[in-house]
Amino acid sequence: MIKRAATPSAPASLLASAVTRSFTSGSITTRVLGGVDLAVQPGEMTLIVGPSGSGKSTLLAVMSGLLRPDGGTVHALGCDLWNQPLEAIDRFRLEHCGFVFQGFNLFPALTAAEQVVLPLQYTGLSIGAARTRAEEALAAVGLRDKAALYPLALSGGEKQRVAVARAIAKNPQLLFADEPTSALDKENGANVARLLHAIAHAQGATVLCVSHDPRLIAHADRVVRIEDGVLTSDERNAAVTNPDPLVVPELT
Ligand SMILES: Nc1ncnc2c1ncn2[C@@H]1O[C@H](COP(=O)(O)OP(=O)(O)OP(=O)(O)O)[C@@H](O)[C@H]1O
Ligand SMILES: [Mg+2]
C-alpha cells in the first residue's frame, strides 16, 4: 500500500499516468517501470529515492522527454509530452527544461562562463544577453569570482554548481537532476541540495531529483520511493533543513 503525500495546493506541472517501460537484451525483456502514476508540483523539490536498478533514472528520462515510454502518458506543463513529433519534444526540452547530471558534463576547453553561455545561445539569445544571464546564474550559485576559470581549476562542488548555473540560466520551469550529489563530498553535496531546494522555492520551478543518496532526503519537500519500478511510498517532508541557502537565485 502506497503512503500518499498530503494533497498539494498547486496543480501538477508534471504528471505521469500508468507509465511503463521495458528494456530488451537478446531474448530477455525486463520491465523497469511497472505502471507509474506520479503528479509533481511546481515550487517544490521532489526527490525520488530507491535502490540501484529500481528505475529512478528511467523514470526521470521518461518524464523529461529523453526516453519514450512503452505505455502511459506524461503531461508536462499541460502538454501531452510523448504525443508530439520528436522535434516538438526537443524544442520543449530546450525551452522549458534544465538538466543536472552526476558527472557535471562540462567542456574542458570552456570557462565557467562559457559553459553557461553556450547553451543559452541555442535558445536564440544574443551573445550580450547570454553573457549577462550567465553572470547572473553564476552569481546565484555563488561563483561570481570563478567565471573565468576552466573546469580543471574548479573543485568537484564548484563544477557541479557550474552545471546547476547552466541548467537554471534559461530560467526553466522544469529542472531535472539525476544523482546530482553522488560525486560530491558531504558538504558540497549538501550545498548543491540546498541550492536545488532554493531554486524551487525562489523561482517556483518544478525540481525533480532522483538519487540513491539518502543525504538528499533532508533537503526535499517530498520524497517518493520506487522499488522494482513501482512507487512504494510518497511522503511530505514538513521540516526541510534548509538553513542558509547558498544564494537565493534571482534570475530575470
Ligand atoms: N538502455 C538500457 N538498456 C537496457 N537496460 C537498461 C537500460 N537502461 C536501464 N536499463 C536497466 O533498467 C534497470 C533500471 O535502470 P535505472 O538506470 O533506471 O536504475 P536506477 O534506479 O537509476 O539505478 P542507479 O541508482 O544505479 O542509478 C536496470 O536494471 C538497468 O540495467
Ligand atoms: Mg540512475
Side-chain angles (χ1 to χ4, degrees):
M1 183 74 176
I2 299 177
K3 275 189 252 166
R4 285 281 168 209
T7 309
S9 47
S13 44
L14 272 174
L15 183 65
S17 305
V19 164
T20 57
R21 184 62 157 98
S22 299
F23 290 107
T24 301
S25 190
S27 60
I28 299 171
T29 297
T30 311
R31 177 168 268 213
V32 173
L33 296 177
V36 172
D37 294 312
L38 179 63
V40 182
Q41 270 71 45
E44 61 183 33
M45 174 174 166
T46 299
L47 174 67
I48 298 176
V49 296
S52 182
S54 56
K56 301 183 296 297
S57 296
T58 304
L59 180 58
L60 183 110
V62 166
M63 292 186 78
S64 61
L66 289 170
L67 180 74
R68 184 179 289 279
D70 297 331
T73 57
V74 174
H75 284 83
L77 304 177
C79 113
D80 187 350
L81 191 58
W82 289 106
N83 191 22
Q84 318 180 83
L86 270 185
E87 311 81 65
I89 298 172
D90 288 346
R91 197 166 56 245
F92 182 90
R93 281 203 316 274
L94 184 68
E95 287 175 0
H96 301 295
C97 304
F99 290 90
V100 179
F101 295 106
Q102 173 178 353
F104 319 137
N105 297 339
L106 301 183
F107 298 101
L110 298 184
T111 65
E114 289 164 348
Q115 313 274 353
V116 185
V117 166
L118 189 69
L120 280 177
Q121 290 187 273
Y122 289 115
T123 67
L125 274 190
S126 70
I127 180 72
R131 284 197 182 124
T132 305
R133 282 277 190 96
E135 267 173 36
E136 290 172 351
L138 285 167
V141 300
L143 289 179
R144 190 193 298 275
D145 299 338
K146 311 253 170 170
L149 297 186
Y150 292 92
L152 205 58
L154 297 169
S155 72
E158 288 166 347
K159 280 186 219 167
Q160 192 59 305
R161 281 192 271 152
V162 173
V164 173
R166 180 176 57 191
I168 63 172
K170 62 184 172 185
N171 217 349
Q173 284 171 269
L174 307 174
L175 181 61
F176 297 95
D178 191 341
E179 304 285 357
T181 59
S182 41
L184 303 178
D185 62 24
K186 188 171 175 227
E187 192 185 334
N188 280 304
N191 283 342
V192 166
R194 278 200 288 268
L195 190 52
L196 293 173
H197 182 261
I199 289 161
H201 284 256
Q203 299 188 343
T206 302
V207 176
L208 182 62
C209 180
V210 308
S211 181
H212 60 249
D213 182 354
R215 298 174 305 179
L216 270 166
I217 290 175
H219 301 279
D221 299 292
R222 177 182 175 198
V223 180
V224 177
R225 190 164 295 275
I226 184 170
E227 286 170 42
D228 289 333
V230 174
L231 303 190
T232 54
S233 75
D234 183 350
E235 292 178 328
R236 295 208 155 259
N237 199 355
V240 178
T241 52
N242 196 20
D244 186 24
L246 275 186
V247 183
V248 175
E250 282 179 12
L251 295 175
T252 48

